Amino acid sequence: AQKITQTQPGMFVQEKEAVTLDCTYDTSDQSYGLFWYKQPSSGEMIFLIYQGSYDEQNATEGRYSLNFQKARKSANLVISASQLGDSAMYFCAMRVSYGNNRLAFGKGNQVVVIP
Amino acid sequence: SQTIHQWPATLVQPVGSPLSLECTVEGTSNPNLYWYRQAAGRGLQLLFYSVGIGQISSEVPQNLSASRPQDRQFILSSKKLLLSDSGFYLCAWRRWKGSNYGYTFGSGTRLTVV
């Protein structure tokens, strides 16, 4: 079974600083996708960034980048220049290529950006 | 444009009452649709998924059920709610292609069973 692990406790980040959120995964699939979602207090799940298992370059989307280390099975999210609006829960998720193409989620990381 | 709608946003229901949550997608056809539940402070758990009309797969045995009566409509139901059914329910749609590849979620329904 696929497993996503996010073990960091809640984090306080100074505004304008960078923050790295750790995510490790476990799968026997060769083809899979990794996602990061942001969930503010309103509850909506906001897509941030995607990395395919065959992508050779790390994904970037604006202030978000994904540090993909395939051999170590890690997919850490880096948020540069934190903003107050970045305060939220962040979830790492993995899509598997067979069956229903489900997303399996980690338990999330709470980030609070302080001015 | 492609959008996903989910309602109601908030629901308070007594134990033993029925439930119906609706999710609809616009701007696409034959989408893969998913129902997830999020308990307080936890990650998302997949409940049901559907690859087409009338095709439902259940991930977790429970007193909930799902139906897909139309191509872009996905309904989560229960005949009798339990206290343990409280949570945040999210419908999701898998986008197949484009720069926004991924899974788009509805705005969610916060269900409290009392």
Side-chain angles (χ1 to χ4, degrees):
Chain A
Q2 294 70 38
K3 184 178 179 182
I4 302 288
T5 302
Q6 296 177 260
T7 58
Q8 289 168 298
M11 304 173 68
F12 289 91
V13 181
Q14 199 72 39
E15 193 178 9
K16 300 181 182 177
E17 290 188 350
V19 58
T20 298
L21 304 180
D22 296 338
C23 173
T24 59
Y25 59 92
D26 185 21
T27 181
S28 56
D29 291 341
Q30 295 301 307
S31 176
Y32 52 89
L34 295 158
F35 299 79
W36 277 92
Y37 283 86
K38 170 185 177 181
Q39 187 179 42
S41 57
S42 60
E44 59 183 317
M45 294 291 284
I46 302 169
F47 167 74
L48 295 179
I49 198 167
Y50 167 77
Q51 178 87 41
S53 58
Y54 293 119
D55 295 341
E56 295 185 354
Q57 302 231 343
N58 287 343
T60 60
E61 291 284 351
R63 295 187 298 111
Y64 304 106
S65 60
L66 199 151
N67 183 2
F68 181 46
Q69 298 186 44
K70 193 171 182 178
R72 298 180 59 184
K73 293 188 175 179
S74 75
N76 299 340
L77 176 71
V78 180
I79 306 173
S80 63
S82 298
Q83 302 172 356
L84 295 179
D86 293 334
S87 296
M89 280 289 286
Y90 289 81
F91 290 96
C92 180
M94 178 170 64
R95 172 190 58 81
V96 297
S97 60
Y98 63 86
N100 62 343
N101 288 294
R102 72 185 67 190
L103 275 183
F105 283 83
K107 294 185 177 180
N109 294 112
Q110 180 71 54
V111 173
V112 176
V113 180
I114 53 178
Chain B
S1 63
Q2 298 170 324
T3 57
I4 181 168
H5 300 280
Q6 190 179 340
W7 66 93
T10 305
L11 197 58
V12 180
Q13 292 284 97
V15 169
S17 64
L19 174 73
S20 181
L21 303 181
E22 189 163 344
C23 171
T24 60
V25 181
E26 294 180 0
T28 187
S29 59
N30 197 29
N32 279 14
L33 297 172
Y34 306 81
W35 277 112
Y36 285 87
R37 177 170 63 195
Q38 184 179 27
R42 305 284 298 277
L44 275 69
Q45 178 188 36
L46 179 65
L47 300 176
F48 301 95
Y49 68 92
S50 172
V51 299
I53 296 174
Q55 300 180 62
I56 307 295
S57 295
S58 174
E59 289 294 306
V60 182
Q62 58 217 328
N63 70 321
L64 299 172
S65 62
S67 62
R68 187 160 174 184
Q70 300 181 42
D71 181 45
R72 288 169 285 180
Q73 185 183 32
F74 201 23
I75 297 172
L76 181 70
S77 303
S78 174
K79 292 182 179 179
K80 290 184 178 181
L81 284 169
L82 306 173
L83 288 174
S84 57
D85 291 325
S86 293
F88 190 54
Y89 290 81
L90 286 155
C91 179
W93 152 50
R94 183 184 179 223
R95 305 171 71 107
W96 284 96
K97 56 188 177 182
S99 59
N100 292 322
Y101 170 76
Y103 296 74
T104 300
F105 285 82
S107 54
T109 296
R110 201 166 300 277
L111 171 66
T112 303
V113 182
V114 297

